[in-house]
Amino acid sequence: MSDEVKNRFFSRMWVRMKDSEEQVEHRKRNLSGLSGRVIELGAGDGRNFALYPPEVTEVVAVEPEPYLREHAETAAREAPLAVTVMTGVADRLPAEDASFDAGVASLVLCTVPDQASALAELKRVIKPGGELHFLEHVHSNNPRQARIENMLDHVWPHIAGGCHPNRETQAAIEGAGFELQELDHFGFSPSFPVPKIAHILGVARRPA
């Protein structure tokens, strides 16, 4: 089985899509409070690397898409902390059990083929008592918007690198055995023509 996922169209589109100031602030909030050794799932082009707090001693960044990984390697060389970029997929993380103080998921649990498998792997590699920091867009609580997201789910993943607009990510995190410590719900539009989309940002703990 390959540890690479090639998506020529989406990867190039993503690199060209720069974060707004608001999005950068959301990313900073997600990384706030981290320390020690951290694994980042689906690091993309590495735009989180410059935002990690100084208490983080090392980041192992896992990215399956080769074009994004190439950009992540460039960002890693410029980062103010030690970052190792690795090839890997969400359901087979290249890491030993309980080898990280924390894990990070930023706008990636919408794209993994199986959330339960990805979260089980994160739980496996995070130390007991360690944290998962997450920033994800989720299925809307508004019935009309939720119906639109359900309809888009037949098409959008084929355009947007496997992104599903209607995932119940909070439930998946709790279902994987993580204990929610902090949780914020908010609406955010990643670009001007797109209406506000439901997001969650929070911290979950692997039980000791």
Side-chain angles (χ1 to χ4, degrees):
M1 298 176 68
S2 174
D3 286 337
E4 285 196 337
V5 177
K6 295 182 180 179
N7 194 309
R8 291 178 58 83
F9 171 74
F10 175 76
S11 62
R12 284 151 179 80
M13 180 180 70
W14 180 256
V15 168
R16 288 169 173 76
M17 290 174 60
K18 302 304 180 185
D19 285 347
S20 66
E21 290 185 10
E22 183 180 2
Q23 179 70 309
V24 171
E25 288 306 310
H26 293 321
R27 289 184 181 276
K28 286 180 178 178
R29 283 182 60 204
N30 188 34
L31 304 177
S32 176
L34 287 166
S35 62
R37 191 166 188 249
V38 176
I39 186 167
E40 181 174 344
L41 175 66
D45 58 3
R47 60 186 68 185
N48 272 345
F49 299 165
L51 306 177
Y52 275 94
E55 293 79 9
V56 173
T57 56
E58 180 189 6
V59 174
V60 172
V62 180
E63 175 52 53
E65 211 293 322
Y67 184 78
L68 291 176
R69 194 168 59 249
E70 179 183 337
H71 282 264
E73 288 167 351
T74 299
R77 289 191 291 270
E78 300 171 354
L81 74 167
V83 179
T84 302
V85 180
M86 300 185 70
T87 306
V89 290
D91 57 359
R92 292 190 307 281
L93 292 177
E96 297 180 359
D97 295 357
S99 53
F100 292 93
D101 299 294
V104 168
S106 295
L107 306 175
V108 67
L109 291 174
C110 59
T111 67
V112 297
D114 185 279
Q115 281 191 324
S117 295
L119 286 162
E121 275 290 274
L122 283 168
K123 187 180 177 185
R124 177 182 69 80
V125 303
I126 295 171
K127 295 176 182 178
E131 294 178 340
L132 171 64
H133 288 226
F134 56 90
L135 165 63
E136 301 287 339
H137 70 83
V138 294
H139 204 193
S140 176
N141 289 327
N142 180 290
R144 182 175 180 276
Q145 188 164 335
R147 286 195 297 270
I148 293 171
E149 290 168 352
N150 289 339
M151 289 187 291
L152 281 174
D153 193 54
H154 298 289
V155 178
W156 189 244
H158 302 288
I159 299 170
C163 172
H164 293 269
N166 61 346
R167 285 193 163 170
E168 305 288 351
T169 302
Q170 177 185 340
I173 292 170
E174 293 180 286
F178 286 97
E179 299 173 346
L180 288 178
Q181 305 295 298
E182 303 173 22
L183 184 65
D184 184 18
H185 292 262
F186 61 95
F188 170 69
S189 176
S191 59
F192 178 73
V194 179
K196 285 190 175 183
I197 300 169
H199 282 67
I200 56 173
L201 189 155
V203 177
R205 178 176 171 271
R206 177 184 169 177

